[in-house]
Amino acid sequence: MGLLSEGLTQLLIPLAALVGLAFALLQWFLVSRVKVSGSYGEGNGYKDKLIGEAEEGVDSLEVTIKVAEIQNAISIGATSFLFTQYRYLSIFVGVFSAIIFLFLGSVKGFSTKSEPCTYNTGNTCKPALANALFTTIAFLLGALTSVLSGFFGMKIATYANARTTLEARRGVGKAFITAFRSGAVMGFLLAANGLLVLYITINLFKLYYGDDWEGLYESITGYGLGGSSMALFGRVGGGIYTKAADVGADLVGKVERNIPEDDPRNPAVIADNVGDNVGDIAGMGSDLFGSYAESSCAALFVASISSFGISHDYTAMSYPLIISSMGIVVCLITTLFATDLFEIKKVSEIEPSLKRQLLISTVLMTAGIAAVTFVALPSEFTLFSFGTNKAVKNWYLFFCVAIGLWAGLVIGYTTEYYTSNAYSPVQDVADSCRTGAATNVIFGLALGYKSVIIPVFAIAFAIYVSFSLAAMYGIAVAALGMLSTISTGLAIDAYGPISDNAGGIAEMAGMSHEIRERTDALDAAGNTTAAIGKGFAIGSAALVSLALFGAYVSRAGIETVDVLTPKVFIGLLVGAMLPYWFSAMTMKSVGSAALKMVEEVRRQFNTIPGLMEGTAKPDYATCVKISTDASLKEMIPPGALVMLTPLIAGTFFGVETLAGILAGSLVSGVQIAISASNTGGAWDNAKKYIEAGASEHAKSLGPKGSDPHKAAVIGDTIGDPLKDTSGPSLNILIKLMAVESLVFAPFFAAHGGVLFKWL
């Protein structure tokens, strides 16, 4: 036994989660002290706030009222879209719950008799029907938590965007803190919420399962499936929504009409700003929650069939949850560095401050992991490794978690190098715009492919070391290590769309040039941090998916996955093709939705008199409707592809072919996801580099409206669906197919491979 007693563990995990929730509420309270509504009388909060702001002195009230109106429009748009999306998803959840129950219930013909355990031989376990029921309940809980994570994130972001704009009047440091705090609210809410719900679920299921931990943790895998299936639809639906509006607004506004980004005359501008919240915030929230839930489930499942589970060592069994609890505490300290300990005074300090967050949280977490490992784990134990038991010492696991954590940092920094306009790769892409859009596209694609090299080596190294030390459990906890600082990662990530929105609101409210420059600086840093966030999501998805793959292979009773057998090899080929098929669907969806959007925006510019002069108002609602309809209709086929592939492959072709498909999709999906994200991010920042004109080189390419700038805008527009729709959705494809295969493994093992049985 480790040093921590069971009672203490039972106390510390929910305590950490509650501390996380309390900290999120505190940050939210601090953000809410910036007042937005324009209904106050004179001197009731404006005059004293804005003393010494001569440039905004006269029209401050008018501007504030305008800002409040725009914020309201964005908030209403985002909320109504998410509610419509959730209505569609509730139907899917209902149908899929039934599928889980029927498939898993039929494993033993719906019998209610106890049966001998699969791994813990000589003992009896609960009936398969109970597993079916509890897996379905866990699936519903995971789906609900995922939806809430996305929804709360969106609410906070739409609450904070206008406040960031107003704070920008008081300087870039104030605006940064408001945007960052709001990101932190989302990060801590999500991490604490995910941990708390998982902890409560395990304890409630225990009331029924008692000593049958094998069945208990097998049914918990439904939690991960629920989380990720919602994330998939949120990511794809939100991604199509945001990019249709973005591409439409950019092509007509910037390239054809030569008006600035987020100009209030552009009819697609509200839809574009709504899209940032539903795609980048709600989608990202659900996505990282899904990763977190799955890596926890994979680790718990492997542990439950190892010595921890068999000897009923609760503290060691809860090791994944204790790591997450530690993560919340570490991120809390890290956040204080950005908001309270160092103040940002200049624009050039924004990006370093965000990067420091990653480094500080990683260093502190390394110490945290060491403490947790030596306190929670016995000094020696055995772990299940494909039919054999591997003897492991507790310090092996410290290295597994730490290596996942540091691999995440390497991926984050590499992504930053390839997507930030402070370094040569993006500057080279910007330079290639001299000769037009074609060279820009060639350079951008090359950059994306090149940016895959270091992250893949980092992932490979992490996999090799953690597998050698602690078999599949090692990989599952390495993934958890990468995600242990999720609160900080999400805070940095949500900061991006919030400052992007803030810039949009400043432009629409007609604030001065100086304020727009401040919000642009926040936004450019946000672009890079969003790319770092996507890098983390993809890296952790690779590890999580491999851990789930290992758990699936164990559960399906496959001795070895032999690539030389035709059954497995055809699976590999088809699996490697799936990310391309999926990307084709999402890209085409964005393209066709953007086409409708462009036509609508052109129609309004041509038919509404006085729109270009700014005397008439555009019809924002039609553009919002185009985006909403397109995304709800178009998210179904890619979602169906991912959800149905494992079911069809497992049922008709059997467990070995499905193993091939999972391996193939993992190997090819990671490469496409990283390159798509980084290519898009680099094109976006190359455009921002030219627009900002901060160096002599950048000035020679600008100003806005020059030929190189138009070429850069075209590159950025091509990159939009890559970095915000296909790329980020692919990591969900990889994980989701693996966790779904694990959940349905008992059914596939019992009844799968129908076609090969006939042949």
Side-chain angles (χ1 to χ4, degrees), residues 195-208:
L195 178 64
L196 198 59
V197 176
L198 185 59
Y199 168 80
I200 293 171
T201 310
I202 291 174
N203 278 315
L204 288 178
F205 282 18
K206 229 174 170 168
L207 298 176
Y208 169 80

Side-chain angles (χ1 to χ4, degrees), residues 367-572:
I369 295 164
V372 164
T373 307
F374 293 110
V375 170
L377 296 176
S379 54
E380 282 189 42
F381 45 90
T382 60
L383 290 170
F384 184 85
S385 168
F386 299 122
T388 57
N389 280 326
K390 183 181 171 73
V392 177
K393 294 187 169 55
N394 59 6
W395 57 268
Y396 289 7
L397 283 188
F398 162 71
F399 280 108
C400 295
V401 185
I403 206 155
L405 180 66
W406 284 90
L409 189 72
V410 170
I411 293 172
Y413 276 178
T414 310
T415 309
E416 196 242 357
Y417 173 71
Y418 281 107
T419 56
S420 163
N421 53 28
Y423 303 105
S424 59
V426 170
Q427 292 173 8
D428 291 346
V429 171
D431 192 61
S432 69
C433 294
R434 286 176 197 283
T435 45
T439 39
N440 180 22
V441 170
I442 294 167
F443 269 70
L445 287 171
L447 176 145
Y449 297 147
K450 197 174 165 192
S451 70
V452 176
I453 302 169
I454 298 175
V456 165
F457 276 120
I459 294 170
F461 181 68
I463 287 171
Y464 183 77
V465 174
S466 49
F467 190 88
S468 315
L469 287 173
M472 269 305 161
Y473 187 70
I475 291 174
V477 291
L480 260 175
M482 201 179 275
L483 289 165
S484 60
T485 52
I486 185 172
S487 308
T488 296
L490 254 174
I492 294 177
D493 198 72
Y495 156 86
I498 291 171
S499 31
D500 188 354
N501 253 219
I505 293 174
E507 182 74 46
M508 282 187 271
M511 289 173 127
S512 67
H513 179 65
E514 192 186 348
I515 287 180
R516 181 68 222 216
E517 271 184 355
R518 287 173 189 166
T519 55
D520 274 352
L522 291 172
D523 184 17
N527 254 339
T528 306
T529 57
I532 292 177
K534 285 168 195 148
F536 261 92
I538 295 163
S540 62
L543 292 175
V544 169
S545 152
L546 186 62
L548 290 164
F549 175 68
Y552 158 75
V553 170
S554 311
R555 186 62 191 89
I558 306 171
E559 295 291 309
T560 51
V561 179
D562 183 359
V563 184
L564 293 176
T565 52
K567 275 184 193 176
V568 176
F569 196 81
I570 56 170
L572 272 178

Side-chain angles (χ1 to χ4, degrees), residues 113-132:
K113 287 204 244 346
S114 294
E115 51 211 45
C117 296
T118 321
Y119 302 99
N120 192 357
T121 42
N123 293 7
T124 52
C125 283
K126 300 289 183 204
L129 192 63
N131 276 11

Side-chain angles (χ1 to χ4, degrees), residues 47 111 332 392 553 631 744:
K47 288 289 175 274
S111 85
L332 197 150
V392 177
V553 170
S631 67
F744 286 105

Side-chain angles (χ1 to χ4, degrees), residues 511-705:
M511 289 173 127
S512 67
H513 179 65
E514 192 186 348
I515 287 180
R516 181 68 222 216
E517 271 184 355
R518 287 173 189 166
T519 55
D520 274 352
L522 291 172
D523 184 17
N527 254 339
T528 306
T529 57
I532 292 177
K534 285 168 195 148
F536 261 92
I538 295 163
S540 62
L543 292 175
V544 169
S545 152
L546 186 62
L548 290 164
F549 175 68
Y552 158 75
V553 170
S554 311
R555 186 62 191 89
I558 306 171
E559 295 291 309
T560 51
V561 179
D562 183 359
V563 184
L564 293 176
T565 52
K567 275 184 193 176
V568 176
F569 196 81
I570 56 170
L572 272 178
L573 273 177
V574 172
M577 175 273 299
L578 286 172
Y580 289 91
W581 188 359
F582 179 83
S583 298
M585 284 175 162
T586 49
M587 300 279 292
K588 183 89 189 293
S589 302
V590 171
S592 58
L595 203 70
K596 291 192 190 102
M597 188 67 81
V598 168
E599 282 166 358
E600 172 59 26
V601 176
R602 277 182 188 155
R603 182 193 70 75
Q604 292 199 23
F605 274 125
N606 294 333
T607 58
I608 298 179
L611 182 55
M612 268 310 276
E613 292 71 44
T615 51
K617 267 196 159 176
D619 171 10
Y620 296 127
T622 312
C623 292
V624 171
K625 189 174 179 343
I626 289 176
S627 263
T628 304
D629 294 349
S631 67
L632 293 173
K633 191 171 105 239
E634 304 277 359
M635 73 180 181
I636 298 166
L641 174 74
V642 179
M643 299 302 291
L644 294 175
T645 301
L647 288 177
I648 292 169
T651 308
F652 292 108
F653 299 95
V655 284
E656 283 158 328
T657 306
L658 181 51
I661 286 181
L662 293 179
S665 68
L666 167 63
V667 168
S668 92
V670 170
Q671 329 287 336
I672 306 177
I674 296 176
S675 64
S677 280
N678 291 352
T679 295
W683 274 328
D684 194 344
N685 273 346
K687 175 203 71 177
K688 289 236 169 33
Y689 175 72
I690 295 176
E691 285 176 355
S695 65
E696 285 308 310
H697 175 233
K699 283 197 183 91
S700 70
L701 296 167
K704 290 186 184 180

Side-chain angles (χ1 to χ4, degrees), residues 148-318:
L148 287 177
S149 301
F151 185 73
F152 284 142
M154 183 279 302
K155 272 298 192 208
I156 291 152
T158 51
Y159 183 80
N161 51 16
R163 288 173 165 77
T164 306
T165 311
L166 292 175
E167 284 289 88
R169 297 188 292 193
R170 301 173 58 202
V172 75
K174 301 280 184 215
F176 170 79
I177 287 185
T178 303
F180 187 79
R181 279 210 160 111
S182 320
V185 178
M186 176 179 179
F188 283 95
L189 257 183
L190 188 137
N193 205 355
L195 178 64
L196 198 59
V197 176
L198 185 59
Y199 168 80
I200 293 171
T201 310
I202 291 174
N203 278 315
L204 288 178
F205 282 18
K206 229 174 170 168
L207 298 176
Y208 169 80
Y209 277 103
D211 280 348
D212 171 17
W213 284 18
E214 190 182 297
L216 166 66
Y217 289 103
E218 188 177 303
S219 58
I220 287 287
T221 52
Y223 184 69
L225 177 61
S228 252
S229 54
M230 291 297 101
L232 176 74
F233 290 108
R235 231 355 172 168
V236 174
I240 293 169
Y241 185 107
T242 173
K243 290 304 126 182
D246 197 352
V247 171
D250 281 359
L251 283 180
V252 185
K254 285 188 192 168
V255 181
E256 291 176 13
R257 294 279 167 171
N258 241 340
I259 57 177
E261 187 162 5
D262 295 317
D263 190 295
R265 293 170 292 182
N266 193 330
V269 68
I270 291 280
D272 182 9
N273 280 297
V274 169
D276 288 336
N277 293 300
V278 294
D280 294 353
I281 297 258
M284 187 69 182
S286 297
D287 177 4
L288 278 176
F289 165 73
S291 281
Y292 165 75
E294 282 157 341
S295 55
S296 305
C297 293
L300 289 168
F301 175 73
V302 177
S304 72
I305 55 179
S306 305
S307 65
F308 299 158
I310 291 167
S311 65
H312 291 86
D313 181 348
Y314 181 81
T315 306
M317 190 66 223
S318 304

